[in-house]
Amino acid sequence: MSARAAGALIVLCGAIFLEGIDVAMLNIALPAIRADLGLSTTTLSAVVSAYVLGYAGFMLLGGRAADIFGKKRVFLTALAVFLAFSGLGGFASEGWMLLLARFVTGAASAFMTPAGLALITANFPEGPQRNRAVMIYASTASAGFSLGLVAGGLLAAIDWRWVFFAPVVLAAILLAIGPRLITDRDAGTDRGKFDIPGAIALTGAMLLAAYGVTRLEHPGEGMQWTMAVFSASALLWLAFILIERASSAPLVRLGILRSGALIRANLGALLFAGSFFGFQFIASLYLQELLGWTPMQTSLALMAIGIDAVVAPILTPRLVDRFGNVRVILAGFLLALACYGLFSRMGFDWTYAAMFPSMLLLGLAFALGYGPLTIVATDGIAEDEHGLASGLVNTAIQFGAALGLSGVSAIGAYMLGDAISPEARLESLRVALLVPLAAAALGALVMATGLRGRDGSRREAVA
């Protein structure tokens, strides 16, 4: 690796590190935000969902923008927008202001992430060298998550608004040094069409789908409106497909979806993220609102999940070399399933020793799942479509996170009803945990289908 390539990798990893701490710190601060702004559980989950839906809704447009206008230009511009609206979120005085700031910040990440990943893959040849670079990139995101848990606890203990102000400092540093270190062999000479209608249809479809799920928390109230929301979402999904088929420069070249490995990677990413984010939401509310733990105590409790920052770059590549991507991802799903099953025993008398195995298992699951899913999603894809492929898998991750959060919020609120007792709230969280459990089980099933080749022998089915 040349000195310039190493410098570029540092900046790009810094950006994904920024995203990791941003998400982790917010998760820890959720109860403090609820107490200050008086938000309901549904609105509280929407604070997280707003970010991931903005992320998911514009991810494909971000990948396309990187291919058209140049990866470096898109990356730096998106980083500047991220900085501005992350700071704006800290000044929110009402729920809608916070939701707006998080949505725009998520949209900025949607342009920044595929451009960053495409810049990495463009500088390393396909094979072990690229896999190692991607693993470093993925483990940096995990390290950001781990540090974000600690920082989130410290900052939320002072004032939850610092959770939004802190990323501004790191983003400013990256903006100052990034232009000098990042190089882009493709500066964006293709001035093709920008598929804005496709992006609007996709974003609308996902927003309505997530909103429809949250409306299920009151099945007897306005069911006709709920079904209308789901129908509108389905129509927008259909419109998106038709727009892509007719467009001369689509967000998604539908032919890329013929890759079985790509489809499995995206389904797996969606289900893994849905279970992971749903569990974090449940754990944060359980620890702080039912057990009465402080934000700092909650941060330290969840920090065991950050073991993936150590395991991913050291152990995961060796496991992939020996067993293949699909088997390693499947193992990750099974570990996540074990984590959620163990955590379902949560009670008022639980000590940290009782919940530690769950946290550890989830950290190992993330280490085995995230990096290999990213590799499978881009393996065998043409160089000029890496932005698209990385955009697809990140869209799946963020949309899955939004659905997982919406599902957990809807089921928890439905089970709670009008009850306010601690016992009722605990039972509602236990039932809501069925969402991560079901998602992990389905994800394991999806990945297991990739273990059998056409000849019926046991082998990986990669791109």
Side-chain angles (χ1 to χ4, degrees):
M1 185 185 301
S2 67
R4 181 168 290 277
L9 184 60
I10 290 173
V11 172
L12 297 170
C13 286
I16 200 68
F17 178 84
L18 172 65
E19 181 190 332
I21 63 169
D22 180 73
V23 172
M25 289 192 300
L26 178 62
N27 287 336
I28 297 299
L30 288 175
I33 294 173
R34 186 218 288 266
D36 190 18
L37 300 184
L39 306 181
S40 66
T41 299
T42 300
T43 304
L44 194 67
S45 70
V47 170
V48 184
S49 296
Y51 176 89
V52 297
L53 284 172
Y55 205 144
F58 291 94
M59 178 62 69
L60 295 177
L61 191 62
R64 177 62 177 158
D67 293 335
I68 293 177
F69 297 108
K71 304 173 184 65
K72 178 179 178 179
R73 183 181 296 116
V74 169
F75 174 81
L76 294 174
T77 301
L79 182 59
V81 176
F82 183 99
L83 182 156
F85 279 86
S86 181
L88 182 62
F91 292 106
S93 58
E94 297 183 31
W96 69 266
M97 296 173 63
L98 191 57
L99 292 174
L100 176 62
R102 293 304 291 170
F103 182 81
V104 178
T105 303
S109 297
F111 285 83
M112 182 170 63
T113 300
L117 183 57
L119 281 168
I120 289 178
T121 58
N123 284 277
F124 296 91
E126 186 170 334
Q129 193 178 32
R130 177 178 295 172
N131 291 350
R132 174 67 63 177
V134 173
M135 286 295 182
I136 293 174
Y137 187 71
S139 64
T140 302
S142 302
F145 174 80
S146 301
L147 182 59
L149 290 174
V150 177
L154 290 171
L155 295 175
I158 300 171
D159 190 331
W160 64 264
R161 297 180 186 279
W162 280 103
V163 167
F164 293 90
F165 294 144
V168 172
V169 178
L170 178 56
I173 295 173
L174 295 177
L175 273 176
I177 65 176
R180 301 177 183 178
L181 295 176
I182 298 175
T183 58
D184 188 3
R185 292 178 297 178
D186 178 10
T189 56
D190 177 16
R191 291 293 182 261
K193 293 182 179 179
F194 218 39
D195 188 10
I196 297 296
I200 293 174
L202 179 64
T203 305
M206 288 189 288
L207 283 170
L208 289 174
Y211 176 58
V213 172
T214 59
R215 285 190 57 83
L216 293 176
E217 65 186 66
H218 302 296
E221 301 177 9
M223 182 53 67
Q224 291 183 340
W225 175 247
T226 301
M227 295 307 298
V229 170
F230 280 121
S231 298
S233 176
L235 288 175
L236 284 176
W237 283 113
L238 178 60
F240 174 71
I241 294 174
L242 295 177
I243 290 170
E244 299 311 284
R245 292 184 62 182
S247 176
S248 59
L251 285 179
V252 180
R253 184 182 64 81
L254 298 181
I256 199 174
L257 300 180
R258 296 191 182 98
S259 169
L262 180 67
I263 295 298
R264 273 191 302 278
N266 279 270
L267 285 175
L270 183 148
L271 292 165
F272 190 87
S275 66
F276 186 77
F277 274 75
F279 173 79
Q280 284 187 72
F281 185 74
I282 292 172
S284 183
L285 295 184
Y286 165 68
L287 294 175
Q288 295 187 62
E289 296 188 346
L290 290 183
L291 296 190
W293 288 21
T294 65
M296 192 62 212
Q297 289 173 323
T298 302
S299 297
L300 295 176
L302 295 176
M303 193 176 175
I305 300 174
I307 192 176
D308 68 292
V310 177
V311 174
I314 298 174
L315 180 61
T316 304
R318 298 179 182 179
L319 293 176
V320 168
D321 289 341
R322 181 171 181 179
F323 300 105
N325 287 308
V326 174
R327 288 185 176 86
V328 173
I329 297 168
L330 176 59
F333 270 111
L334 294 177
L335 289 176
L337 194 60
C339 159
Y340 307 141
L342 288 174
F343 205 80
S344 64
R345 301 177 301 160
M346 57 184 168
F348 292 108
D349 58 346
W350 248 26
T351 63
Y352 184 62
M355 66 185 74
F356 178 75
S358 296
M359 306 300 180
L360 188 63
L361 285 173
L362 188 57
L364 294 173
F366 196 87
L368 298 183
Y370 184 76
L373 278 169
T374 305
I375 293 172
V376 172
T378 57
D379 227 7
I381 302 298
E383 186 80 20
D384 61 351
E385 288 192 317
H386 276 174
L388 171 59
S390 62
L392 282 171
V393 72
N394 278 285
T395 296
I397 289 172
Q398 302 304 326
F399 184 45
L403 289 180
L405 287 164
S406 297
V408 163
S409 174
I411 292 180
Y414 171 69
M415 292 301 301
L416 186 61
D418 296 327
I420 58 174
S421 68
E423 291 76 15
R425 294 170 66 188
L426 176 62
E427 185 60 25
S428 70
L429 291 181
R430 283 175 175 164
V431 176
L433 194 58
L434 292 174
V435 173
L437 271 167
L442 185 56
L445 180 61
V446 168
M447 298 315 301
T449 62
L451 293 175
R452 184 172 297 277
R454 294 180 180 178
D455 59 359
S457 62
R458 297 286 289 179
R459 64 177 177 85
E460 261 192 287
V462 295

